[in-house]
Amino acid sequence: MSRPRIVLTRRWPAAVEDVLRERYDLVANADDHPFSADELAHALATADALCPTVTDAIDAALLDRAAPRARLLGNFGVGFNHIDVEAARRAGLVVTNTPGVLTDCTADLAVMLMLMVARRAGAGERMVRDDAWAGWAPTQLLGTRVSGKTLGLVGFGRIARAVAARAHHGFGMRVLYYNPSAVPAAVTAALNAVACDSIEAVLEAADFVSLHCPGGAATHHLIDAARLARMPAHAYLINTARGDVVDQQALIDALAARRIAGAGLDVYAGEPVVPAALKTLDNVVLLPHLGSATHETRTAMGLRVVANLDAFFAGREPPDRVA
Ligand code: DGY
């Protein structure tokens, strides 16, 4: 019996590609180039499963024209806002993602951004690399203390809770959150976290605001100019969620006018483009979507896709089915 054909749109960790090669007819992307819409359409028409990731726009236009042979979209990543789930359903495709395995590394990175921007780590590193450091001085590169401050979380799912744990137990921070649905009392008690009844309440009370909601139409520009204006001038915004959750131009305006103290960003609207105006600001730390970028986590993400493929092609329900 022929083995299912699996197309990967990008390079995956070698250990995961090896597992896939043993079990499937694997079409890997040796040079790791981002697929064009035509390549995605071809993959959908010729593979049994397509494994895309955040750099692939699997939209209605593509799915409606593709006449897919594929029956599964095994997304490499927890966020799947780049996939039009309704159009996938119409095209008869099951969609899976990779929850859980990137929680710790993404939370670590959110804390890192909070520390980097508050303690001016990016500016300091640039100074050293530029040979511009003339030595220690009492008033040089003074930042803002993180320990003991208030962290506000917008969304309180797995990653937000992991950030809260680090902030509360590691840095003695007070934790506030807004979540659209109720959170079990045991979870909030363990983190001494206080629920707010609106995003505005979080923005007004927090010294650091960290965003942890999914991307997509429902959260597009959730943090707009009006909401940024609710943050105190000493507060910082951290985004490891999705770029279009924030109105990027409104954020640039707020940072440039020092209406907020700074921002730490791992994600952008329209990646990989990062607006020139952001790059000129010294009160923002800019990372290239590194949240899950560790050997351990990227391998675990790949193996999670493998588990979904194995279940699907064995006629079982994939463990991480989202549509
Ligand atoms: C995720 O898993 O959602 C990461 O942001 C990469 O897509």
Side-chain angles (χ1 to χ4, degrees), residues 20-302:
L20 285 169
R21 209 167 274 115
E22 275 165 22
R23 297 181 194 177
Y24 296 98
D25 172 12
L26 179 68
V27 182
N29 177 352
D31 66 7
D32 198 29
H33 69 281
F35 271 23
S36 66
D38 284 344
E39 286 175 294
L40 290 171
H42 178 74
L44 281 167
T46 53
D48 298 298
L50 172 65
C51 297
T53 191
V54 64
T55 53
D56 303 304
I58 313 289
D59 54 20
L62 174 77
L63 289 163
D64 291 344
R65 85 168 159 134
R69 158 178 156 174
R71 291 179 295 136
L72 178 74
L73 291 175
N75 186 53
F76 185 96
V78 67
F80 53 90
N81 58 304
H82 54 286
I83 299 174
D84 185 326
V85 166
E86 272 316 308
R89 229 182 246 131
R90 276 202 306 277
L93 285 151
V94 166
V95 182
T96 61
N97 72 341
T98 63
V101 291
L102 42 74
T103 303
D104 283 326
C105 284
T106 307
D108 291 349
L109 188 114
V111 172
M112 182 172 94
L113 278 173
M114 187 164 72
L115 290 166
M116 281 185 77
V117 66
R119 298 301 306 275
R120 304 183 66 186
E125 222 238 0
R126 284 192 291 278
M127 179 188 268
V128 172
R129 285 184 187 276
D130 292 347
D131 286 328
W133 187 40
W136 191 90
T139 57
Q140 182 180 70
L141 281 178
L142 300 187
T144 299
R145 180 184 166 106
V146 172
S147 293
K149 296 287 177 65
T150 297
L151 171 65
L153 298 159
V154 176
F156 203 54
R158 272 182 294 256
I159 296 172
R161 294 174 198 182
V163 173
R166 286 154 176 72
H168 178 61
H169 298 299
F171 296 93
M173 296 179 85
R174 179 173 160 245
V175 176
L176 308 175
Y177 70 89
Y178 169 79
N179 198 58
S181 57
V183 175
V187 171
T188 54
L191 299 166
N192 210 11
V194 176
C196 295
D197 58 10
S198 67
I199 294 175
E200 283 72 14
V202 171
L203 297 173
E204 284 167 9
D207 302 306
F208 295 88
V209 173
S210 191
L211 304 178
H212 298 284
C213 44
T219 56
H220 182 80
H221 290 189
L222 184 78
I223 304 299
D224 57 9
R227 285 197 163 130
L228 286 167
R230 307 297 278 262
M231 293 174 67
H234 70 265
Y236 296 85
L237 182 73
I238 307 300
N239 190 6
T240 56
R242 282 292 182 263
D244 57 9
V245 171
V246 177
D247 179 339
Q248 207 159 250
Q249 188 55 51
L251 177 62
I252 291 168
D253 294 343
L255 289 167
R258 308 270 160 179
R259 286 197 296 273
I260 63 171
L265 305 178
D266 190 42
V267 287
Y268 308 87
E271 292 177 14
V273 176
V274 177
L278 264 182
K279 292 187 224 165
T280 63
L281 294 167
D282 70 350
N283 54 348
V284 61
V285 171
L286 304 169
L287 296 182
H289 203 145
L290 291 179
S292 59
T294 62
H295 294 293
E296 295 90 337
T297 289
R298 291 285 165 85
T299 298
M301 289 164 71

